[in-house]
Amino acid sequence: MSKRRDPFEAVAHPTRRAILDLLREHPGLPAGEIASHFPEVSRAAVSKHLGILRGARLLRARPRGREVHYTLDPRPLGDLYEQWLSRFEPLWERSLANLKRQVEEGDAPTES
């Protein structure tokens, strides 16, 4: 089994986030099919990314014959939200309220 990893470390890489997105939309994909969605990344690198995600317990792997099929386990992401990200929610709420106020008053910033 892969060594235990921090979920923050696991989601820090854009390819790993893309793998999670892929498995959210298409659960139960085999490793080879996952790799085929990332032609710019070697199969060995995809395998390493899958190992990191497994180590963070963000994926479950189930052998089926000669293939290993992966499914997303969202529980560690929920834990990240509850234990850390939720602390920032008041800031998001304030930012959205400020943006709404600016738009309603006609003071919204414009793109250059």
Side-chain angles (χ1 to χ4, degrees), residues 20-86:
L20 293 175
D21 285 336
L22 175 65
L23 290 171
R24 179 177 47 84
E25 295 292 325
H26 305 284
L29 292 178
E33 191 169 337
I34 293 169
S36 73
H37 285 266
F38 302 94
E40 71 285 355
V41 180
S42 72
R43 286 186 177 262
V46 170
S47 180
K48 185 175 180 178
H49 288 308
L50 291 170
I52 291 169
L53 291 167
R54 284 182 67 190
R57 297 186 176 175
L58 290 164
L59 296 183
R60 290 189 205 130
R62 290 202 168 75
R64 290 189 185 155
R66 293 174 23 157
E67 295 181 325
V68 177
H69 290 243
Y70 291 90
T71 56
L72 174 65
D73 185 347
R75 290 177 294 181
L77 294 173
D79 293 343
L80 286 179
Y81 176 79
E82 289 174 11
Q83 295 171 8
W84 192 72
L85 288 172
S86 64

Side-chain angles (χ1 to χ4, degrees), residues 78-110:
D79 293 343
L80 286 179
Y81 176 79
E82 289 174 11
Q83 295 171 8
W84 192 72
L85 288 172
S86 64
R87 297 179 202 169
F88 295 91
E89 194 167 351
L91 299 173
W92 301 330
E93 296 292 329
R94 273 198 304 271
S95 293
L96 288 173
N98 287 338
L99 178 60
K100 181 180 184 229
R101 181 186 48 75
Q102 288 178 348
V103 168
E104 288 172 348
E105 293 175 359
D107 296 335
T110 59

